[in-house]
Amino acid sequence: MAAVNLKQLAKILNLSISTVSKALRDSHEIGDATKERVLAKAKEMDYTPNPFASGLRRNKSKTIAVVVPEVANNYFSLAINGIERIAQENDYHVLIYLTHEDIEKEKGIMKHLENKRVDGVLMSVTMNTNNQSHLSDFQQKGIPIIFFDRICNEIETAKITTDDYISGMNATNHLIENNCKDIAFLSLGDDISIMQKRKSGYLEELHKNNMEAPPERVIKCGNDDEMNYDLIKKLLSGKNKPDGIFASVEKLAITTYQVCRELNINIPKEVKIICFSNLETASLLSPSLSTITQPAYNIGKTAAEVMFKYLDKNKTYIPNENIVLQSTLHIRESSQQIV
Amino acid sequence: MAAVNLKQLAKILNLSISTVSKALRDSHEIGDATKERVLAKAKEMDYTPNPFASGLRRNKSKTIAVVVPEVANNYFSLAINGIERIAQENDYHVLIYLTHEDIEKEKGIMKHLENKRVDGVLMSVTMNTNNQSHLSDFQQKGIPIIFFDRICNEIETAKITTDDYISGMNATNHLIENNCKDIAFLSLGDDISIMQKRKSGYLEELHKNNMEAPPERVIKCGNDDEMNYDLIKKLLSGKNKPDGIFASVEKLAITTYQVCRELNINIPKEVKIICFSNLETASLLSPSLSTITQPAYNIGKTAAEVMFKYLDKNKTYIPNENIVLQSTLHIRESSQQIV
DNA sequence: ACTATTTACGCAAACGATGTAGTAATTTTA
DNA sequence: TAAAATTACTACATCGTTTGCGTAAATAGT
């Protein structure tokens, strides 16, 4: 029942603890015959080193943390999938922490992680993270952070993102080409870099087409689904409603669908919709949803790979590096002009 | 940069290490004045105990593991959400491991966890877990396991499930009431208890209505989406196709939608569909998808709560207990007779 | 054949926190 | 007032591994 440890192994083998330890770690100090004997007995007795003792001694946790706003989210769950895969390959363990878009929770989590519980952190900040002091403090403790998607520009480290600015332009351009004259942008907060980029792409594309929108066409949504529903409902009520909607995140597009259903607004006839999304069922929606789809799995995978590249070398300092993966535009019914 | 430890704190305070340790743990052996002094300095110096040292000494990891087949899955991600919430409330950390429905990977993961890295495990087994020896071995090591949803009956512990048998009957009955004469059941493997129950409910309801189906109406799908696609396509091709489909898991219903689209089969006119699902967008699909929806968040939450009930009492033995939460039937277009 | 080197192992000190046992000094009790 | 009890602390062993150093025996070198 109780786990077997080095001391017991050593006694049975009639060797010292250190010999057994070194044999298991394949040290050159130990003879081949002894090594084999130790390995065999260790396997027989089902010995596995106590991670707390090793962690304490070597100051290595063999664990990384993933800090994200949500897990019940197609994008983040795919990213976690990619991360977990690479972690398993590297014999690492993955701790998961959810901020629920609450910056205070984010701060608390980072505080909890400061004491070397993890060798590194992969994170996407909350939509409200407009101040990075808790992150730079954390970094100062000597634990590397790598950001993916929702990055924090002020922190020097590796950042994995997609081409959000270009995608923002492309999505907007697509709506314009489909004859939209009045396009609204649904933002998730407006603090974080990813939103700025998507919005900039949107604004720039409007500008290029001489279609500058009034500021109220940028709707600042938040984490409260009901409030978002009301905001979008207000946007789509009355006669001054837009004929195109570019949702910066999936859930805002879903809410828009729901609002349209309630208000009996026809998509895409009355209003065309496109959004960033990793929804598997996008093509099965009514109407099928046009999306900019991020390579979520690969983003997670890449973030983890970069982390392990440094951890393997025992480097806790990760220089600035921007890795940009490409999103793909999937045009479906929701954004197309009916001909 | 380097984390401050008890020794440094003690030196600065001119106290012994043990005094500081006890003061921080609010021991009665320490005077109030000293306690305050220690607390203040600890906060000032941002001291947090080294988790490996504490873990080693107290034989407690303050960590639980969640072992599930997938995370990019609406059901499991919601369950994880519930688990993480309760873990945070209890000051616990959550390790996540994905089996990808691979029983060998599941075995490997359990092996990895045997060495007291975690205080407990919450798990949903793979669709192929037809042998529980790796799980009972694990339990023998003195680490409690609690199952949710995909339980293992042979292991004595707490199990959180939904009323799968009843739900299976209800879903089948609903299809019958909507005039289905030939209902197929899409199973995910057939090894695990949850599938047996859902299938039993289906078979029993058919029996009650004198509608026994031939064995080939139970389609044993697997983890390979393309193979599932082919299986379902075969089922729905030709004239001998069923007029009702009961999918035991969400992804099989999605695949069915895709097949129907390819084969130009009208849902619900030609074939009616209902499935177990936590898909947020079920009502936005074309046609909207009828579902049996499990209280996934609460299942995760409950599993975690039961775990902490025992961990708090330092009990590693969890007696058999079956906690059954209710699923809810959401009737939408995909399963209804058009009148 | 005698020293120099290598091989193969053991000893013991960490890593940081915890808790038992011990000890002065103070306070209480009979 | 002497003995007993309480208070407020310190010393030290311990959890299980890892690793630098020491050392005896075996081997190599001249």
Side-chain angles (χ1 to χ4, degrees):
Chain A
M1 159 139 174
V4 45
N5 59 21
L6 278 187
K7 198 197 283 189
Q8 299 164 33
L9 249 186
K11 192 189 292 178
I12 290 182
L13 287 162
N14 234 334
L15 289 169
S16 76
I17 292 178
S18 51
T19 302
V20 176
S21 171
K22 286 170 185 168
L24 290 171
R25 319 195 100 254
D26 201 27
S27 159
H28 65 94
E29 293 183 57
I30 305 299
D32 291 339
T34 310
K35 273 184 194 171
E36 272 182 49
R37 212 161 61 90
V38 172
L39 260 330
K41 202 67 178 178
K43 175 161 279 182
E44 178 195 328
M45 298 189 60
D46 212 20
Y47 168 80
T48 67
N50 180 307
F52 291 93
S54 308
L56 176 59
R57 180 59 223 244
R58 315 187 78 186
N59 204 27
K60 275 263 171 204
S61 61
K62 282 277 185 182
T63 304
I64 57 171
V66 176
V67 182
V68 289
E70 304 283 349
V71 65
N73 171 304
N74 296 302
Y75 174 79
F76 289 120
S77 59
L78 282 168
I80 290 169
N81 210 332
I83 292 168
E84 206 266 353
R85 151 106 183 271
I86 302 302
Q88 277 200 21
E89 282 176 10
N90 284 269
D91 251 304
Y92 257 69
H93 301 258
V94 179
L95 282 168
I96 197 150
Y97 299 90
L98 309 179
T99 59
H100 297 286
E101 305 283 10
D102 177 351
I103 185 168
E104 292 308 321
K105 195 163 267 182
E106 183 174 282
K107 288 180 185 172
I109 290 165
M110 298 315 278
K111 241 331 150 249
H112 257 290
L113 290 178
E114 279 183 359
N115 48 14
K116 300 298 283 171
R117 180 181 289 276
V118 295
D119 296 341
V121 175
L122 304 181
M123 83 183 289
S124 250
V125 301
T126 77
M127 52 170 282
N128 303 308
T129 303
N130 49 11
N131 174 299
Q132 74 286 1
S133 62
H134 59 299
L135 301 173
S136 52
D137 284 356
F138 182 84
Q139 216 183 15
Q140 290 302 312
K141 301 278 176 178
I143 308 175
I145 311 184
I146 286 178
F147 294 104
F148 64 96
D149 204 50
R150 306 239 204 128
I151 68 172
C152 185
N153 274 316
E154 291 81 0
I155 306 284
E156 185 177 343
T157 184
K159 293 146 195 165
I160 325 294
T161 54
T162 50
D163 47 352
D164 290 293
Y165 178 73
I166 302 288
S167 296
M169 289 181 62
N170 289 345
T172 309
N173 177 263
H174 167 73
L175 290 176
I176 293 171
E177 283 184 349
N178 278 270
N179 223 19
C180 288
K181 303 295 181 200
D182 181 6
I183 303 172
F185 179 79
L186 305 185
S187 173
L188 189 66
D190 61 1
D191 288 324
I192 53 178
S193 131
I194 194 180
M195 281 302 146
Q196 310 274 8
K197 285 195 201 156
R198 292 175 184 182
K199 189 171 66 180
S200 298
Y202 154 80
L203 292 173
E204 172 62 20
E205 190 66 25
L206 290 186
H207 176 72
K208 280 204 318 201
N209 289 273
N210 289 313
M211 286 175 59
E212 273 88 352
E216 62 268 25
R217 279 314 189 212
V218 173
I219 313 289
K220 181 177 164 180
C221 298
N223 196 37
D224 182 326
D225 288 340
E226 287 186 34
M227 281 181 55
N228 293 339
Y229 191 94
D230 292 342
L231 280 171
I232 295 169
K233 187 169 172 184
K234 193 174 146 212
L235 174 72
L236 291 174
S237 298
K239 42 208 55 165
N240 187 29
K241 65 171 185 284
D243 58 5
I245 288 187
F246 175 16
S248 60
V249 292
E250 182 178 299
K251 72 168 183 176
L252 294 176
I254 303 302
T255 304
T256 304
Y257 264 56
Q258 287 160 343
V259 170
C260 286
R261 192 156 286 202
E262 187 195 331
L263 297 181
N264 241 316
I265 295 174
N266 183 287
I267 310 170
K269 206 170 155 191
E270 295 177 69
V271 57
K272 299 187 182 32
I273 299 180
I274 190 166
C275 73
F276 278 87
S277 167
N278 284 85
L279 189 63
E280 250 187 312
T281 54
S283 64
L284 299 177
L285 293 188
S286 169
S288 62
L289 175 64
S290 295
T291 62
I292 304 125
T293 298
Q294 299 175 275
Y297 181 87
N298 273 328
I299 290 174
K301 187 164 164 285
T302 304
E305 282 167 347
V306 174
M307 177 61 81
F308 288 118
K309 193 179 87 184
Y310 288 97
L311 289 183
D312 282 349
K313 294 191 228 152
N314 266 308
K315 285 296 301 167
T316 71
Y317 168 71
I318 301 181
N320 241 342
E321 177 182 12
N322 283 294
I323 298 177
V324 180
L325 305 186
Q326 289 205 345
S327 296
T328 50
L329 196 58
H330 294 271
I331 307 301
R332 300 197 182 89
E333 294 163 2
S334 71
S335 63
Q336 291 203 72
Q337 195 173 9
I338 300 168
V339 281
Chain B
M1 162 142 171
V4 44
N5 59 22
L6 279 187
K7 197 197 283 190
Q8 300 163 34
L9 248 186
K11 192 189 292 179
I12 289 181
L13 287 162
N14 234 336
L15 289 169
S16 76
I17 292 179
S18 47
T19 302
V20 177
S21 171
K22 285 171 186 165
L24 290 171
R25 319 195 100 253
D26 202 27
S27 160
H28 66 96
E29 292 184 56
I30 306 299
D32 290 340
T34 310
K35 273 184 193 169
E36 272 182 48
R37 212 159 62 87
V38 172
L39 259 331
K41 203 68 179 176
K43 175 161 281 183
E44 179 195 328
M45 298 188 61
D46 211 21
Y47 168 79
T48 67
N50 180 307
F52 292 92
S54 308
L56 176 59
R57 181 61 222 248
R58 313 185 80 182
N59 205 24
K60 275 264 171 202
S61 62
K62 282 277 187 181
T63 305
I64 57 171
V66 177
V67 182
V68 289
E70 304 284 349
V71 63
N73 171 304
N74 295 302
Y75 174 79
F76 289 120
S77 59
L78 282 167
I80 290 170
N81 210 332
I83 292 168
E84 206 266 353
R85 150 106 183 270
I86 301 302
Q88 276 200 23
E89 282 176 10
N90 284 271
D91 250 302
Y92 257 69
H93 301 257
V94 180
L95 282 169
I96 198 152
Y97 299 90
L98 309 179
T99 60
H100 297 286
E101 305 283 10
D102 177 352
I103 186 170
E104 292 309 320
K105 196 162 266 181
E106 183 174 283
K107 288 180 185 172
I109 290 166
M110 298 315 279
K111 249 304 153 267
H112 257 289
L113 291 177
E114 279 183 359
N115 49 14
K116 299 297 282 172
R117 180 180 288 276
V118 295
D119 296 341
V121 175
L122 305 180
M123 83 182 288
S124 250
V125 300
T126 78
M127 53 171 279
N128 304 308
T129 303
N130 49 11
N131 175 299
Q132 74 287 0
S133 62
H134 59 299
L135 301 173
S136 52
D137 284 354
F138 182 84
Q139 215 182 17
Q140 290 301 312
K141 301 277 176 177
I143 307 175
I145 312 184
I146 286 178
F147 294 104
F148 64 96
D149 204 49
R150 308 242 204 123
I151 68 172
C152 184
N153 274 316
E154 291 82 359
I155 306 284
E156 185 177 343
T157 184
K159 292 147 195 162
I160 325 294
T161 54
T162 50
D163 48 351
D164 289 293
Y165 177 73
I166 302 288
S167 297
M169 289 182 60
N170 289 344
T172 309
N173 178 263
H174 168 73
L175 289 177
I176 293 172
E177 283 184 350
N178 278 269
N179 224 19
C180 287
K181 303 295 181 203
D182 181 5
I183 303 172
F185 179 79
L186 305 185
S187 173
L188 188 66
D190 61 1
D191 288 325
I192 53 178
S193 132
I194 195 180
M195 280 303 146
Q196 310 275 9
K197 286 197 201 154
R198 291 175 186 182
K199 189 170 66 181
S200 299
Y202 154 81
L203 292 172
E204 172 64 20
E205 190 66 26
L206 290 186
H207 176 72
K208 280 204 319 202
N209 288 273
N210 288 314
M211 287 174 58
E212 271 87 353
E216 63 268 25
R217 278 313 187 211
V218 173
I219 313 290
K220 182 178 164 180
C221 299
N223 195 38
D224 182 325
D225 288 339
E226 285 185 35
M227 280 181 56
N228 293 339
Y229 191 94
D230 292 341
L231 280 170
I232 296 170
K233 189 169 170 184
K234 193 173 147 214
L235 174 71
L236 291 174
S237 297
K239 40 207 56 166
N240 187 30
K241 64 171 187 283
D243 57 6
I245 288 186
F246 175 15
S248 60
V249 292
E250 183 177 299
K251 72 168 183 175
L252 294 176
I254 302 303
T255 304
T256 304
Y257 264 56
Q258 288 161 342
V259 170
C260 286
R261 192 157 288 201
E262 187 194 330
L263 297 181
N264 240 316
I265 295 175
N266 182 288
I267 311 170
K269 207 170 153 191
E270 295 177 70
V271 58
K272 299 187 180 31
I273 299 180
I274 190 165
C275 73
F276 278 87
S277 167
N278 284 85
L279 187 63
E280 250 186 312
T281 54
S283 65
L284 300 177
L285 292 189
S286 169
S288 62
L289 175 65
S290 294
T291 62
I292 304 126
T293 298
Q294 299 175 275
Y297 180 88
N298 274 328
I299 290 173
K301 188 164 163 285
T302 304
E305 282 167 347
V306 174
M307 177 60 81
F308 287 119
K309 194 179 87 185
Y310 288 97
L311 289 184
D312 282 351
K313 293 190 227 151
N314 265 310
K315 286 295 301 166
T316 71
Y317 169 72
I318 301 181
N320 241 341
E321 177 183 12
N322 282 295
I323 299 178
V324 180
L325 306 185
Q326 290 206 344
S327 295
T328 50
L329 197 58
H330 294 271
I331 306 299
R332 301 198 182 88
E333 294 163 3
S334 71
S335 64
Q336 291 204 71
Q337 194 174 9
I338 300 168
V339 282

